[in-house]
Amino acid sequence: MTVRRAVEEDDAPLLAIERSAWDASSGFPSYLDTLQDTFFSRSGPEAHLVAEYEGAVVGYLRLQDKYQFPEGAGVLAINGLAVARDARRLGVASALLDAASAEGRLRGARKITLHVHSTNAAARRLYERHGYVLEGTHPDEFLIEGNYIAALDMAKTL
Ligand SMILES: CC(C)(COP(=O)(O)OP(=O)(O)OC[C@H]1O[C@@H](n2cnc3c(N)ncnc32)[C@H](O)[C@@H]1OP(=O)(O)O)[C@@H](O)C(=O)NCCC(=O)NCCS
């Protein structure tokens, strides 16, 4: 498995992953309707790490500055992480998270933050194993398929 910076040519495989990776426990069902024809329409390749396994792109992590003003410098946000369904439990997300930590340290960041649905047991376990701790809970934040769920803020100190 290798992790590298995304390039424009990754658009099609990443779009395919994005269209199939999420469900009601991990994402927002309405999001699929907003997906455009290009994966990089909202943020470009430079914001993404991609994982390749046996020559195929199998996952991505979007890592961005959380704040656009100097007082918030040093705080990065994982604004997306997904792995192709047929490549799960192989350590792909773990490799992407390790690479994100390494990049954060290189960039002089002190912290990486993220949001996760309370219902997303797989991702919560993943993040905990990588040293992310709960920083905040927003109870009943979203109504998804008839159930109110909490949004969780997690973060890792670098
Ligand atoms: C969550 C997700 C990114 C995990 O990707 P992955 O490549 O399968 O994760 P890894 O193989 O690196 O797993 C590392 C550890 O995370 C935990 N984990 C991952 N998937 C899990 C699952 N389905 N159930 C329980 N624990 C899980 C385990 O502790 C696992 O270690 P193990 O396999 O030795 O038990 C993937 O399931 C996914 O893309 N889900 C949909 C999108 C999503 O939820 N993104 C995160 C939004 S905040």
Side-chain angles (χ1 to χ4, degrees):
M1 178 146 18
T2 55
V3 174
R4 58 169 173 76
R5 175 84 39 212
V7 292
E8 287 290 350
E9 289 70 28
D10 297 320
D11 197 278
L14 290 179
L15 189 60
I17 291 171
E18 192 72 342
R19 285 199 165 120
S20 59
W22 302 92
D23 62 22
S25 71
S26 56
F28 299 107
S30 65
Y31 170 67
L32 281 183
D33 300 333
T34 70
L35 260 185
Q36 318 240 328
D37 291 340
T38 58
F39 179 81
F40 294 128
S41 58
R42 277 185 267 203
S43 43
E46 68 286 349
H48 298 81
L49 297 166
V50 297
E52 273 189 59
Y53 186 73
E54 295 180 343
V57 172
V58 290
Y60 76 86
L61 184 153
R62 187 178 297 119
L63 186 66
Q64 296 170 305
D65 287 323
K66 183 169 184 181
Y67 303 105
Q68 303 305 318
F69 47 87
E71 291 81 356
V75 184
L76 300 180
I78 293 176
N79 289 329
L81 166 64
V83 173
R85 287 184 183 274
D86 59 2
R88 290 186 183 171
R89 297 310 281 266
L90 298 173
V92 174
S94 290
L96 286 164
L97 285 173
D98 287 345
S101 290
E103 179 173 327
R105 289 188 190 100
L106 269 178
R107 286 165 65 169
R110 64 179 188 281
K111 184 172 170 178
I112 301 181
T113 68
L114 58 87
H115 302 294
V116 61
H117 288 358
S118 54
T119 44
N120 194 348
R124 290 174 65 180
R125 177 92 190 103
L126 168 78
Y127 295 136
E128 280 165 11
R129 285 192 60 173
H130 281 265
Y132 286 77
V133 296
L134 187 66
E135 284 202 328
T137 303
H138 306 266
D140 296 341
E141 189 80 348
F142 303 118
L143 178 60
I144 298 181
E145 294 186 342
N147 297 308
Y148 286 101
I149 70 143
L152 309 180
D153 298 336
M154 298 185 81
K156 173 179 178 158
T157 302
L158 296 177

